[in-house]
Amino acid sequence: MYSKLQYISQGETIEEQLRNIHQALDAGCKWIQMRFKNQTVKDTFTLAEAVKLLCERYPTNFIVNDDLNLAKKIEADGVHLGLTDTKIEEARAILGPEKIIGGTANTFEDIQNHVQNGCNYIGLGPFRFTATKEKLSPILGLSGYFDILQKMKNKKIEIPVYAIGGITLRDVNPLMETGIHGIAVSGIITESDEKEKLVQQFKEKLYANVIV
């Protein structure tokens, strides 16, 4: 079962990225998506190799953001693809049946397409405005999630959906009521002075109704 809490990495340098990812792992995150935009191929590969080793030590799911070739080369657990990145079906053909492929979605139609093409989970958003991402899609808000998840239910589409985009602790309970599987966060963990406490608080809310 996929972790309900995803951490999407931040940092402008290899050192910053590694520090932030290491701290997130120490705080209890079990799912790391490495996002290292606009960097050289060499630096991205160097970071990915180091992150893979880190994630194997904890152990944690390690997903590469956008870079399909890199995910294959270093044998990451999978890749997360944006709406304008490589198509899901192409990624599946290259990575094979065992790897995790996530897809970004902003509409119900996006989700339908991803599921038909062999996606494993959906990153649905943005929930609200976030400065973390450039070229933001239309903001969904709580009502947007309710609407899309209801359409999924009506069409009997079952796939883990993660809410993303400026999510705080107080958003988790109402978001979980929409039927999502979990959340993906970035800045709130990176910038926290009490990461372990914050991750624990997120988990308590995310797993509140889960019978272990």
Side-chain angles (χ1 to χ4, degrees):
M1 187 177 171
Y2 295 159
S3 170
K4 291 177 177 283
L5 180 66
Q6 290 189 17
Y7 171 65
I8 301 174
S9 71
Q10 289 183 300
E12 296 301 315
T13 64
I14 293 171
E15 291 73 25
E16 282 179 19
Q17 283 269 340
L18 279 176
R19 183 178 67 247
N20 291 335
I21 290 169
H22 207 157
Q23 288 176 353
L25 289 167
D26 280 340
C29 289
K30 297 289 184 188
W31 185 295
I32 302 293
Q33 184 186 139
M34 189 192 92
R35 190 172 187 270
F36 198 41
K37 293 285 194 181
N38 307 317
Q39 305 291 334
T40 65
V41 172
K42 184 185 174 188
D43 281 359
T44 308
F45 182 79
T46 300
L47 174 62
E49 276 196 313
V51 175
K52 187 187 178 191
L53 289 171
L54 258 182
C55 288
E56 283 172 352
R57 269 173 42 200
Y58 274 80
T60 306
N61 273 333
F62 170 39
I63 306 294
V64 173
N65 179 273
D66 290 356
D67 197 330
L68 176 61
N69 292 327
L70 177 62
K72 182 174 175 62
K73 194 170 183 180
I74 66 159
E75 297 184 340
D77 294 311
V79 68
H80 183 94
L81 299 170
L83 287 167
T84 57
D85 296 324
T86 311
K87 291 194 169 11
I88 301 286
E89 62 266 38
E90 287 176 34
R92 179 59 70 205
I94 290 167
L95 291 181
E98 301 302 320
K99 295 296 185 181
I100 300 168
I101 298 178
T104 296
N106 181 245
T107 65
F108 173 65
E109 288 69 31
D110 292 336
I111 294 174
Q112 275 186 310
N113 291 334
H114 287 339
V115 171
Q116 285 167 3
N117 292 322
C119 199
N120 295 110
Y121 75 88
I122 302 293
L124 180 63
F127 174 60
R128 65 162 59 89
F129 175 79
T130 172
T132 306
K133 191 164 184 180
E134 297 172 18
K135 299 177 185 171
L136 214 58
S137 296
I139 290 165
L140 294 174
L142 209 53
S143 60
Y145 282 89
F146 267 111
D147 180 51
I148 291 170
L149 270 292
Q150 189 58 51
K151 285 177 180 174
M152 287 177 64
K153 197 173 177 182
N154 293 342
K155 293 283 186 180
K156 296 184 168 52
I157 295 173
E158 292 185 14
I159 188 170
V161 174
Y162 288 82
I164 184 169
I167 294 165
T168 65
L169 272 172
R170 68 175 179 274
D171 300 319
V172 177
N173 288 345
L175 274 169
M176 292 301 282
E177 287 172 11
T178 69
I180 60 163
H181 174 76
I183 61 170
V185 292
S186 193
I188 192 168
I189 289 179
T190 304
E191 293 155 23
S192 173
D193 293 327
E194 296 181 288
K195 290 179 174 59
E196 192 170 349
K197 180 182 176 184
L198 177 62
V199 168
Q200 188 57 39
Q201 288 173 322
F202 269 128
K203 285 183 176 179
E204 282 170 6
K205 290 178 180 289
L206 289 165
Y207 289 93
N209 299 316
V210 175
I211 300 168
V212 179

